[in-house]
Amino acid sequence: MANIYQGRDSCYARKEKTYITGSGVTQRNMATFVRFILRDLRRGWTYDHSCRKIKMTKKLAIKRLVYLLALCKKHTDDDEACERAYDRHVTPVVLRLSGKGIARKKEKKKAKKAKAKAKAKAR
């Protein structure tokens, strides 16, 4: 199973002679992954893990974009930095593509806690 975007053995390297250097999704290279995914969406096709051309849909693009956060956390063990990079580079793109707001569980919990604190202060 080949990596699609990253590394010398990736589908992009084999087929298009361009790829993302390094190993793993990090805060520093997350924006590059976003650019590659959006490029695939614009042209209407991408590669699967066997380096075969497949149709790139909005749904697939959003899935790949959302998965960047999980990969970053897995590859770096720095959840906060990954979330900041995700909020900066990925969230605006996902919102634009999906046309609706996306709230992650953590954000919902923060909002709930803030609301509870405000109620407690009001008493």
Side-chain angles (χ1 to χ4, degrees), residues 60-71:
L60 178 57
I62 291 170
K63 280 184 179 182
R64 286 186 178 179
L65 289 166
V66 170
Y67 192 51
L68 290 175
L69 180 60
L71 288 173

Side-chain angles (χ1 to χ4, degrees), residues 13-106:
R14 291 181 198 170
K15 305 279 187 171
E16 302 185 26
K17 308 298 184 227
T18 185
Y19 60 92
I20 299 171
T21 58
S23 62
V25 177
T26 65
Q27 306 88 306
R28 289 184 172 186
N29 67 15
M30 193 177 290
T32 308
F33 278 98
V34 172
R35 283 195 299 274
F36 274 55
I37 293 167
L38 289 177
R39 176 180 185 248
D40 287 350
L41 181 61
R42 277 191 303 277
R43 68 183 181 184
W45 57 271
T46 186
Y47 300 104
D48 65 7
H49 287 287
S50 298
C51 296
R52 296 175 298 210
K53 281 186 181 180
I54 61 170
K55 185 176 181 178
M56 176 57 107
T57 62
K58 274 189 185 182
K59 186 176 179 179
L60 178 57
I62 291 170
K63 280 184 179 182
R64 286 186 178 179
L65 289 166
V66 170
Y67 192 51
L68 290 175
L69 180 60
L71 288 173
C72 182
K73 287 180 178 182
K74 177 182 175 187
H75 296 150
T76 65
D77 288 328
D78 190 349
D79 292 1
E80 287 182 34
C82 287
E83 287 179 12
R84 283 193 306 273
Y86 183 89
D87 289 343
R88 182 173 182 198
H89 301 293
V90 182
T91 300
V93 176
V94 171
L95 290 173
R96 189 176 72 236
L97 291 176
S98 67
K100 59 184 174 184
I102 293 179
R104 294 189 308 241
K105 288 181 185 179
K106 193 171 185 179

